Structures are given as C-alpha cells and as structure tokens.
Amino acid sequence: MPDHQRLTEHYHQGLRDDAILTQVRTHYPNGPTLHQLAPLDQLHIGGIAASKKLLNLLDPQKHPKVLDIGSGLGGLMRQGAALGLQITGLDITHRFNALNQTLSQLTLEPHTLDKNGAALRYITGNASALPFAENTFDAVLFQHSLMNMPDPNQVIAQCRRVLRPGGRLVMHEVVSGENITELRFPVPWAATQEHSHLLTLTELTQLLEASGFQILHSEDWSSTALEWRQRQRQKEQASHTAVLSPQWVFGERFLQMGKNLLENLSIRAINVVEISARC
C-alpha cells in the first residue's frame, strides 16, 4: 500500500462522519459556533487560541488568498475566513474535506462565506504536488501537518512555487525535542514511527532558508502547549460526556493518544514551535 493510502487509513480508521453530523445537528440545531466546534475541528495542540495566534501573523489586507496545507476538519479555515481571509484547504484525506465542507455550511457565522461560497475552498490533494499555478497565494499555513509528510523538501519547494513574491509561510508545528528517542506512540498524527516525520527546529529553519525563505519570527511554544495539554487531559478524564471531542475522529484510540501526547511534551520528546517566513 502506498504511503499516502496508509496515512489516509490512519485518519479514516476511527472517523464517524455521519455520527458527527447527527451530533452537531442534534445539539446545535441553529448551527454551531466556532468555539462549539473547536473540540472536534481544532485537532492540534493549543486549540482555538493557538489558531488565533497563528492567524494574527497574517494581514487580511496584505495576504487575502491563503492555502491551508493539511486542513483537516477546517477549524483553522473557518476561523481565518471570519477574519476576512479567502482560504483554500488542501488535505490528502477526502473524507476530512467532505466533512469539513458540511461543517462550514452548518456554522452560525454566515460571514465566513460570501454569497458564492468563495471564501472557502476544499481540495483533496498531495502537498508534494500542489495542484495550483505559480504565484497563486499570498500566504501558506501549516498547523500540525508537515510532520505527516515524508518529503518536506519537496513540500516546501511546492509552497515556494505557489506563493507570490513577498508571500508569507506561517507554521504552528510539532518538532523533535531533545529526547525524541523516547517518543511514545500512538499519537494523533501517527500510530507508529512510520508516519511520523518530525524535524528538529534547526532542520526546519535550515530547510526554509535553503528554499529561499527569510525567517521573520520563530517562537518555542512548548511550555504553553504543555499547560494547554494538561488542562485538556483533565477534561478528557472527567465523568461527563462531551458533545464533541477528538474521539469522534480517532475513536477510542484517542484515550491513549492523548495520554501519550501529554507525556511526550512533558519529557520533551517533542516541542511545539511557531514560525513566520517570507519568500
């Protein structure tokens, strides 16, 4: 089985598409808000606050056309559209894209879509071969997605190609920590080492610079990420059943994934960084 099919299977395995939509329609008959969807569609360390911080690195006036690579269920996309960005989401998992689009149609924030629905677009594709012309976008976003890509050099080269001169590349990514050899699986992005392609911060920075990017901003976000994950773990262990949670995407596996994620942050097997660069 090709790598991309195995990766897709990882994300398909526990995904409960129809049940998620039934849950949303039942509990939020007038449509969910972005915050109500966040436990489901902000599948990254830091949740909706981390997405806000990442999006603040962009100016809707200067960077209106944005590509979100590894868009998942679209939390970052809808949040960005609410700020006035026109966002194209690309994900290799087609069922994510289909669910993402339906969730967008159900949200309470009608201003996230213009009358033609042009503020958001959904593309199933591979980041190593972006299906876009040169100079198409003003900005490219990564949020916990590069770590799933076995050929980051090709992915970043593709980003450079589709960005206009002076465009921005912004990242909120997991990278290798000093104790990466102690990384515990499964984690949300990978059940085994096979689909975990973490770079160190130094390797990532050098890759961007070698590809023609100038680093504008680089921040280690690991301490805040650990505190956030500790709070989330307490919620996950509470007796009440949440309306929406990552378990609707990953199934019962998430109980172990969430535990491992916290432990990996605690022992610094992984770090979380935020980066902004200009081409």
Side-chain angles (χ1 to χ4, degrees):
M1 183 184 297
D3 285 345
H4 71 277
Q5 290 184 8
R6 285 194 289 267
L7 177 60
T8 298
E9 176 58 28
H10 169 73
Y11 288 112
H12 279 182
Q13 183 178 336
L15 183 60
R16 300 161 61 188
D17 322 49
D18 293 339
I20 287 171
L21 294 177
T22 297
Q23 185 81 340
V24 170
R25 290 182 173 120
T26 298
H27 288 270
Y28 308 119
N30 296 319
T33 66
L34 298 184
H35 281 83
Q36 287 168 337
L37 281 179
L40 175 80
D41 67 4
Q42 299 274 353
L43 292 175
H44 52 263
I45 302 167
I48 202 166
S51 294
K52 179 180 179 180
K53 192 171 184 296
L54 184 67
L55 290 167
N56 282 342
L57 297 175
L58 300 179
D59 181 341
Q61 300 301 315
K62 296 179 181 178
H63 317 109
K65 296 184 65 177
V66 178
L67 173 63
D68 180 4
I69 294 183
S71 49
L73 296 185
L76 183 65
M77 290 177 64
R78 286 181 284 276
Q79 200 170 340
L83 299 175
L85 299 171
Q86 302 170 36
I87 302 188
T88 297
L90 179 133
D91 203 284
I92 204 166
T93 305
H94 182 68
R95 283 171 61 190
F96 274 7
N97 287 328
L99 184 54
N100 179 0
Q101 186 168 7
T102 304
L103 289 171
S104 292
Q105 293 166 354
L106 292 174
T107 59
L108 272 175
E109 281 79 3
H111 59 282
T112 64
L113 296 172
D114 65 22
K115 63 182 179 180
N116 298 313
L120 295 176
R121 297 171 59 211
Y122 314 86
I123 305 292
T124 300
N126 192 323
S128 294
L130 293 175
F132 309 108
E134 294 181 6
N135 305 326
T136 298
F137 296 100
D138 303 302
V140 173
L141 298 172
F142 285 85
Q143 190 171 45
H144 289 34
S145 52
L146 189 65
M147 58 193 183
N148 264 144
M149 300 175 188
D151 191 354
N153 295 64
Q154 178 65 14
V155 171
I156 298 302
Q158 285 287 295
C159 292
R160 182 70 179 81
R161 180 182 66 81
V162 303
L163 276 170
R164 64 168 176 80
R168 295 295 173 88
L169 184 149
V170 296
M171 293 181 157
H172 171 222
E173 279 292 325
V174 177
V175 296
S176 296
E178 55 264 41
N179 296 315
I180 186 61
T181 57
E182 298 179 33
L183 183 64
R184 302 174 186 183
F185 292 96
V187 286
W189 68 90
T192 65
Q193 183 63 48
E194 181 182 15
H195 290 126
S196 183
H197 303 287
L198 299 176
L199 301 173
T200 65
L201 177 57
T202 298
E203 289 170 338
L204 178 55
T205 300
Q206 290 175 345
L207 170 58
L208 292 173
E209 292 176 336
S211 301
F213 287 95
Q214 175 190 359
I215 306 297
L216 302 174
H217 164 83
S218 179
E219 178 183 350
D220 188 308
W221 204 69
S222 302
S223 296
T224 303
L226 175 59
E227 292 171 3
W228 180 87
R229 185 64 209 135
Q230 288 169 334
R231 294 194 299 271
Q232 294 304 111
R233 182 64 177 164
Q234 291 174 353
K235 293 178 184 178
E236 292 158 7
Q237 293 176 314
S239 58
H240 73 279
T241 302
V243 174
L244 296 171
S245 79
Q247 284 185 248
W248 292 86
V249 178
F250 295 109
E252 294 302 313
R253 296 179 301 164
F254 186 75
L255 298 175
Q256 188 62 49
M257 288 176 172
K259 178 182 178 182
N260 288 345
L261 194 57
L262 177 56
E263 291 178 353
N264 288 329
L265 284 165
S266 298
I267 65 175
R268 299 192 72 82
I270 57 173
N271 292 327
V272 179
V273 298
E274 184 183 81
I275 296 173
S276 174
R278 177 174 59 202
C279 62

